[in-house]
Amino acid sequence: DIQMTQSPSSLSASVGDRVTITCRASQTISTYLNWYQQKPGSAPKILIYGASTLQSGVPSRFSGSGSGTDFTLTISSLQPEDFATYSCQQSYSIPYTFGPGTKVQIK
Amino acid sequence: EVHLVESGGGLVQPGGSLRLSCAASGFTFSSYEMNWVRLAPGKGLEWISYINSDGRSTYYADSVKGRVTVSRDDAKNSMYLQMNDLRGDDTALYYCAREPPGYSSPLDCWGQGTLVTVSS
């Protein structure tokens, strides 16, 4: 099974900050990497798929990059509604696996 | 509008069974692969099951293999997860999630989840 790790596990940031979250796969997954946002009490929401393709309706301040084993999610200017938990997921092979999540909190 | 609505969760004793349902609307359910994903307290998202669009291909996480069975009824636009021999570590919020046709698609639509609590 492909293991997914994320760093950091949590971070504190201010509105307007640039935030970067990294995700690493235990083996190469090409660009079959997706990012989800989850807020308390809500379902996960797809932000980025294929490592760098923005899902329709997602603000352009979100971006993704990477291929192979190393990936990043960047929020260019953090907004109040962005405080949430972000998880990466590989869709390269079943069993699909998620990273442990990164909680973005208000500083 | 695309909607997924889970139901069937509840409090069950260890060793008990539950059948979760996922009702879909707003899209051609029979064209989509479907998944179950759970979120346990204090943990990250965990994929647990997949079923392809014609229902002939299913996969399970090792953590639930042999104890759960996924199925679908396209006439009812619904997917199901039969869970048996439940354990405390099965306590979680269970989501159904849609996977569009195509190789290695993301999970692009999720329900709000149904809570399963395993406790005596």
Side-chain angles (χ1 to χ4, degrees):
Chain A
D1 299 358
I2 299 172
Q3 309 303 316
M4 307 299 294
T5 58
Q6 281 182 241
S7 61
S9 57
S10 66
L11 64 90
S12 295
S14 300
V15 172
D17 285 353
R18 181 181 182 89
V19 169
T20 299
I21 299 168
T22 64
C23 176
R24 176 166 288 176
S26 61
Q27 63 187 73
T28 184
I29 56 171
S30 184
T31 57
Y32 296 108
L33 190 283
N34 311 304
W35 288 99
Y36 300 86
Q37 176 195 66
Q38 187 170 23
K39 300 178 182 179
S42 296
K45 171 188 171 184
I46 179 72
L47 296 177
I48 288 170
Y49 62 94
S52 61
T53 303
L54 204 63
Q55 176 74 355
S56 175
V58 173
S60 59
R61 63 181 179 272
F62 291 92
S63 64
S65 65
S67 66
T69 60
D70 294 309
F71 303 87
T72 60
L73 172 70
T74 299
I75 309 172
S76 60
S77 178
L78 198 66
Q79 297 301 300
E81 60 269 29
D82 300 338
F83 293 96
T85 297
Y86 295 85
S87 301
C88 60
Q89 176 238 346
Q90 64 82 15
S91 53
Y92 180 80
S93 66
I94 288 175
Y96 297 147
T97 41
F98 289 85
T102 296
K103 188 173 184 178
V104 176
Q105 299 174 294
I106 301 172
K107 181 182 283 184
Chain B
E1 187 180 355
V2 174
H3 265 118
L4 295 171
V5 179
E6 302 91 339
S7 61
L11 175 63
V12 61
Q13 292 188 337
S17 298
L18 279 176
R19 188 194 193 209
L20 307 184
S21 299
C22 171
S25 61
F27 65 100
T28 305
F29 179 72
S30 59
S31 296
Y32 285 76
E33 299 155 14
M34 297 293 295
N35 294 264
W36 287 98
V37 178
R38 67 185 181 185
L39 182 64
K43 297 197 173 182
L45 295 165
E46 179 189 15
W47 172 87
I48 58 170
S49 182
Y50 160 97
I51 186 167
N52 75 340
S53 57
D54 66 13
R56 295 180 182 181
S57 183
T58 59
Y59 294 94
Y60 303 97
D62 286 345
S63 59
V64 300
K65 197 174 293 181
R67 299 187 298 119
V68 309
T69 303
V70 63
S71 61
R72 62 190 296 160
D73 184 341
D74 289 350
K76 296 183 177 180
N77 288 337
S78 293
M79 176 178 65
Y80 308 97
L81 189 70
Q82 177 66 44
M83 307 178 67
N84 300 322
D85 191 23
L86 284 161
R87 312 186 301 218
D89 59 3
D90 293 317
T91 294
L93 188 58
Y94 285 73
Y95 297 100
C96 63
R98 185 183 82 164
E99 182 178 343
Y103 181 69
S104 294
S105 299
L107 305 180
D108 73 338
C109 181
W110 299 60
Q112 289 300 307
T114 187
L115 183 62
V116 172
T117 303
V118 183
S119 176
S120 55

